[in-house]
């Protein structure tokens, strides 16, 4: 097992493919995924690097599993629960269980973040029309979310 994976260029690593964010779907845009760490013998978590291009967005979703996130490229904004967060490089974000969340770049630069998750996790749930209507009661959230 190779315990040292070198960076090859900015935000790229040797033999780590740049993949689709999720298989199929139109509920996200301009986002790629790199699986940096895929669990150990006693460390049952994955570390992924996601990068969102200007104008892109991650899916609006929630699930029982949690995310621990660190911004490592650029700046962005995130819906986490009922708040829109302004995120700078090296900020940390925790997404608690069953909390609606979505990430977007803050401007015209790529927005990249590391995201740690449990290897054994539940499938994300997407909002139905009722949930979207509830979220949109807040004007800031209404402006922010992308479906
Ligand atoms: Mn998620």
């Amino acid at each position: 097992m190779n315990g040292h994976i070198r960076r090859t260029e900015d935000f790229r690593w040797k033999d780590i493919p740049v993949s689709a964010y999720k298989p199929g779907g139109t509920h996200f845009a301009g986002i790629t995924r790199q699986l940096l760490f895929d669990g150990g013998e006693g460390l049952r978590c994955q570390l992924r690097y996601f990068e969102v291009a200007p104008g892109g967005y991650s899916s609006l979703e929630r699930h029982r599993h949690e995310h621990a996130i660190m911004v490592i490229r650029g700046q962005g904004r995130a819906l986490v629960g009922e708040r829109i967060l302004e995120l700078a490089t090296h900020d940390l974000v925790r997404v608690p269980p069953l909390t609606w969340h979505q990430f977007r770049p803050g401007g015209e630069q790529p927005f990249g973040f590391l995201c740690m998750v449990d290897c054994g996790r539940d499938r994300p749930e997407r909002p139905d029309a009722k949930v979207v209507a509830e979220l949109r009661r807040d004007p800031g959230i209404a402006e922010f979310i992308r479906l």
Side-chain angles (χ1 to χ4, degrees):
M1 139 149 212
N2 182 2
H4 179 194
I5 297 170
R6 289 188 185 274
R7 162 195 178 278
T8 51
E9 54 191 292
D10 286 357
F11 308 102
R12 296 289 183 268
W13 294 268
K14 187 172 187 323
D15 298 330
I16 303 236
V18 179
S19 310
Y21 168 61
K22 289 179 180 176
T26 57
H27 52 289
F28 53 85
I31 176 165
T32 59
R33 171 184 197 273
Q34 294 176 78
L35 181 58
L36 305 179
F37 180 82
D38 194 14
E41 288 167 59
L43 181 60
R44 300 299 301 155
C45 70
Q46 288 185 336
L47 185 65
R48 299 91 51 86
Y49 175 67
F50 294 105
E51 193 169 286
V52 195
Y57 50 91
S58 66
S59 55
L60 175 58
E61 63 180 34
R62 71 174 189 175
H63 33 66
R64 292 199 173 276
H65 64 273
E66 297 177 63
H67 292 314
I69 285 161
M70 176 185 267
V71 177
I72 62 168
R73 182 173 200 176
Q75 55 205 13
R77 298 166 74 204
L79 169 71
V80 179
E82 295 170 0
R83 296 176 61 203
I84 306 289
L85 311 175
E86 300 285 337
L87 302 176
T89 308
H90 300 152
D91 282 2
L92 291 160
V93 181
R94 176 170 173 258
V95 178
L98 295 177
T99 302
W100 294 107
H101 55 284
Q102 183 166 52
F103 292 83
R104 292 176 53 190
E108 294 306 308
Q109 301 293 326
F111 171 54
F113 54 92
L114 299 170
C115 178
M116 187 169 68
V117 284
D118 199 309
C119 288
R121 58 186 181 274
D122 58 323
R123 282 175 60 89
E125 171 193 355
R126 289 174 51 210
D128 61 17
K130 181 166 172 278
V131 168
V132 170
E134 283 167 16
L135 288 168
R136 282 183 171 152
R137 275 189 213 145
D138 180 310
I141 294 175
E143 175 276 323
F144 181 80
I145 59 173
R146 297 289 180 271
L147 304 170

mmCIF file of all heavy atoms in Angstrom, residues 90 107 109-110 138:
data_model
loop_
_atom_site.group_PDB
_atom_site.id
_atom_site.type_symbol
_atom_site.label_atom_id
_atom_site.label_comp_id
_atom_site.label_asym_id
_atom_site.label_seq_id
_atom_site.Cartn_x
_atom_site.Cartn_y
_atom_site.Cartn_z
ATOM 1 N N HIS A 90 -9.437 27.586 4.364
ATOM 2 C CA HIS A 90 -9.049 26.982 5.644
ATOM 3 C C HIS A 90 -10.118 27.068 6.717
ATOM 4 O O HIS A 90 -9.909 26.608 7.843
ATOM 5 C CB HIS A 90 -7.691 27.507 6.166
ATOM 6 C CG HIS A 90 -6.569 27.232 5.206
ATOM 7 N ND1 HIS A 90 -5.446 28.004 5.116
ATOM 8 C CD2 HIS A 90 -6.432 26.253 4.282
ATOM 9 C CE1 HIS A 90 -4.654 27.530 4.154
ATOM 10 N NE2 HIS A 90 -5.240 26.466 3.645
ATOM 11 N N GLY A 107 -17.362 33.352 -5.825
ATOM 12 C CA GLY A 107 -17.101 34.316 -6.894
ATOM 13 C C GLY A 107 -16.690 33.616 -8.167
ATOM 14 O O GLY A 107 -17.194 32.544 -8.471
ATOM 15 N N GLN A 109 -13.847 32.250 -9.009
ATOM 16 C CA GLN A 109 -12.713 31.340 -8.859
ATOM 17 C C GLN A 109 -13.238 29.971 -8.424
ATOM 18 O O GLN A 109 -14.289 29.895 -7.786
ATOM 19 C CB GLN A 109 -11.747 31.866 -7.795
ATOM 20 C CG GLN A 109 -11.170 33.249 -8.088
ATOM 21 C CD GLN A 109 -10.253 33.249 -9.305
ATOM 22 O OE1 GLN A 109 -9.555 32.278 -9.566
ATOM 23 N NE2 GLN A 109 -10.285 34.340 -10.060
ATOM 24 N N PRO A 110 -12.494 28.906 -8.716
ATOM 25 C CA PRO A 110 -12.913 27.590 -8.221
ATOM 26 C C PRO A 110 -12.951 27.569 -6.691
ATOM 27 O O PRO A 110 -12.157 28.246 -6.029
ATOM 28 C CB PRO A 110 -11.830 26.649 -8.741
ATOM 29 C CG PRO A 110 -11.126 27.384 -9.819
ATOM 30 C CD PRO A 110 -11.260 28.842 -9.498
ATOM 31 N N ASP A 138 -37.335 31.740 3.918
ATOM 32 C CA ASP A 138 -36.241 32.656 4.256
ATOM 33 C C ASP A 138 -35.712 33.249 2.944
ATOM 34 O O ASP A 138 -35.241 32.503 2.084
ATOM 35 C CB ASP A 138 -35.131 31.883 4.978
ATOM 36 C CG ASP A 138 -33.956 32.766 5.363
ATOM 37 O OD1 ASP A 138 -33.450 33.507 4.484
ATOM 38 O OD2 ASP A 138 -33.537 32.713 6.532
#
